[in-house]
Amino acid sequence: AFPDTADKMGIAYTPVELVDFLINSVEDLLEDEFGTSLNDEDVIVLEPFAGTGTFLVRLMHKLDPSALKRKYSSGEVWGNEILLLPYYIALTNIETAYYEITKEVKPFRYLLLTDTFELEEKRLKGHQLSFGFFPESYSQLMQAQNKAKVNVIISNPPWRAKQEDMTDLNFSLKYERLDEKIGKTYSALSKAKNKNALYDSYVRAVRYASDRIGERGVIAFVLNNGFLDSNSFDGFRKALAEEFKKIYV
């Protein structure tokens, strides 16, 4: 649906096999590096660009049923989606999967209709969240996500290198704190003259996730492969090498 919107927002389909590979990789790394599991209470998972919910649904199938019931109801698993149609599809998929696994009908409260980057801006600035078109309970959920000690972030982030013209959807989207952090890290470490690519949505997603998990955690993303050897990504590579203990490509 809406292919023009999908193209402008950098939305792409993610094969289920790839989703399962990332989830299984996260489980292995949690065990090897931290002695924990996706089933554990202190492992808080966020899917910041949920789309139609594939990552969250496959995660539910990975969890032990008892752990799934707890995590589903307690805010140990979160998802965000910015577009209304995929948000509702994701909610349906998640609640259907929960019924298939547990034989219980239960609404999922922790999928939010929101812009992840904007939510992070408010978190960094310490702003209270209040939206006139959402009930107060929804703002409370956004506050709860901002306060959650997220230590696993898994997704296929949107990619968005540049605007084609003045009418493009993302033209006016600026994220002050996030872009400032990119400037102080990826951009500052780069010797490239043209650094526009460092403000691509998927690079913003890596910067956001790197800061959001704090000192301990795992990020599993599907990424475009241009960062591996592109001259404009020299600072990006150097920052990742400095900030992370291990990187798997």
Side-chain angles (χ1 to χ4, degrees):
F2 310 115
D4 289 344
T5 301
D7 184 55
K8 287 178 182 293
M9 298 293 284
I11 298 166
Y13 169 74
T14 315
V16 172
E17 295 82 358
L18 179 52
V19 175
D20 287 346
F21 172 76
L22 288 181
I23 292 171
N24 289 329
S25 297
V26 168
E27 178 67 11
D28 289 346
L29 286 170
L30 286 173
E31 183 177 342
D32 292 346
E33 299 294 333
F34 306 119
T36 59
S37 164
L38 286 166
N39 292 298
D40 293 349
E41 287 186 48
D42 60 350
V43 173
I44 310 298
V45 182
L46 171 63
E47 214 296 28
F49 315 101
T52 54
T54 305
F55 278 92
L56 293 173
V57 167
R58 298 307 297 172
L59 172 64
M60 292 166 66
H61 284 281
K62 176 72 175 177
L63 296 171
D64 295 337
S66 59
L68 170 60
K69 288 185 179 183
R70 187 194 70 248
K71 296 182 91 72
Y72 186 92
S73 304
S74 64
E76 294 176 42
V77 176
W78 292 87
N80 294 336
E81 173 51 40
I82 193 172
L83 296 177
L84 190 61
L85 178 61
Y87 168 80
Y88 277 118
I89 295 172
L91 204 56
T92 302
N93 287 338
I94 291 165
E95 293 177 357
T96 300
Y98 187 78
Y99 173 74
E100 290 173 348
I101 297 168
T102 67
K103 305 308 177 188
E104 296 178 8
V105 176
K106 196 167 189 177
F108 184 63
R109 299 177 62 233
Y110 302 101
L111 180 69
L112 304 183
L113 181 64
T114 189
D115 177 348
T116 291
F117 294 149
E118 185 60 33
L119 197 60
E120 177 70 355
E121 290 289 299
K122 288 181 167 56
R123 185 180 78 89
L124 292 173
K125 294 175 182 177
H127 287 181
Q128 288 293 111
L129 294 163
S130 179
F131 300 93
F133 48 87
F134 283 131
E136 180 61 27
S137 60
Y138 204 84
S139 297
Q140 291 171 356
L141 281 172
M142 290 183 171
Q143 293 281 21
Q145 185 189 119
N146 275 352
K147 293 177 181 177
K149 295 182 178 179
V150 172
N151 45 23
V152 171
I153 298 181
I154 184 167
S155 188
N156 182 356
W159 48 267
R160 185 76 187 126
K162 61 182 184 298
Q163 290 76 29
E164 298 301 329
D165 58 54
M166 290 292 287
T167 64
D168 271 12
L169 287 175
N170 285 7
F171 187 82
S172 61
L173 292 182
K174 302 293 182 184
Y175 302 100
E176 180 186 349
R177 294 293 181 90
L178 183 59
D179 290 347
E180 182 182 326
K181 187 64 180 290
I182 289 174
K184 291 179 178 178
T185 54
Y186 307 155
S187 182
L189 292 169
S190 176
K191 296 179 180 178
K193 292 182 178 179
N194 187 345
K195 301 179 182 182
N196 290 342
L198 296 176
Y199 297 89
D200 185 302
S201 291
Y202 87 86
V203 180
R204 279 174 166 166
V206 174
R207 182 68 270 165
Y208 157 77
S210 302
D211 295 331
R212 189 68 179 86
I213 62 170
E215 294 299 314
R216 288 169 58 89
V218 179
I219 300 168
F221 275 171
V222 182
L223 296 180
N224 150 344
N225 68 7
F227 76 91
L228 292 174
D229 55 12
S230 168
N231 290 339
S232 59
F233 279 80
D234 57 343
F236 179 78
R237 291 190 294 271
K238 186 171 183 179
L240 290 187
E242 291 178 355
E243 293 178 25
F244 286 87
K245 178 183 175 183
K246 291 184 180 178
I247 300 170
Y248 296 83
V249 180

